[in-house]
Structure formats: C-alpha cells, structure tokens
Amino acid sequence: MAEQLEFFPVQSPCRGICQSDDRGFCRGCFRSRDERFNWQKMSDAQKQEVLRLCRQRLMRKLRANKSNPPEEPQQPSLF
C-alpha cells in the first residue's frame, strides 16, 4: 500500500488520563503500553493504524457498557 503524503504530523491521542485498564490499555486514549512508548518512533502510517485500533477499542467499550446497564442502588422497602 502506498503511503499517503501528510501535510501535518499525526498528533498523539493522549488525553492526559494515563491509567491502564484491566486489559492494559490506557483509559484515556485506548493505546497499549507499546503503542504509547513507541509513538515517537512510528511512521505516520503506523500512527494512523494505531488511531484506527484505538477507535475500535473505544467502540467495543461503548457497546459493552450499553449492554450492561449500570446497577441502580436498591432502597430497602420501609414496609
């Protein structure tokens, strides 16, 4: 695949929420540890692929949260 010329550098998706979830992905940008540490060494095409994977991870998380509605606290009956 031919690499498309980019006029602007691909910006980091970092949102400043640097915490890993239980699967090892950042809770803010959804990058893996390797993707975060090697971002500066990647080509623009590699960065675009990482961004595509991050969008997939976000959509997967949103779908999982939608199927599991948050539990409402149950108030005990007074009667």
Side-chain angles (χ1 to χ4, degrees):
M1 177 203 294
E3 189 170 333
Q4 182 177 345
L5 291 176
E6 296 287 338
F7 291 107
F8 301 101
V10 178
Q11 294 295 314
S12 170
C14 181
R15 298 175 59 206
I17 306 170
C18 301
Q19 298 174 353
S20 294
D21 65 9
D22 56 343
R23 296 189 66 197
F25 296 112
C26 178
R27 292 180 192 271
C29 65
F30 297 97
R31 289 183 291 172
S32 70
R33 178 183 170 103
D34 287 338
E35 291 166 346
R36 291 190 314 267
F37 289 161
N38 295 315
W39 182 259
Q40 295 300 323
K41 300 174 193 170
M42 292 180 184
S43 69
D44 284 349
Q46 290 171 317
K47 290 177 182 180
Q48 292 291 347
E49 177 63 13
V50 169
L51 292 176
R52 185 187 69 76
L53 293 171
C54 291
R55 283 190 295 273
Q56 277 185 340
R57 294 169 188 149
L58 171 62
M59 296 309 292
R60 190 177 307 129
K61 181 176 177 157
L62 292 174
R63 281 192 304 269
N65 287 344
K66 189 177 274 189
S67 65
N68 297 331
E71 269 189 36
E72 296 282 331
Q74 296 294 323
Q75 183 174 359
S77 174
L78 298 175
F79 303 102

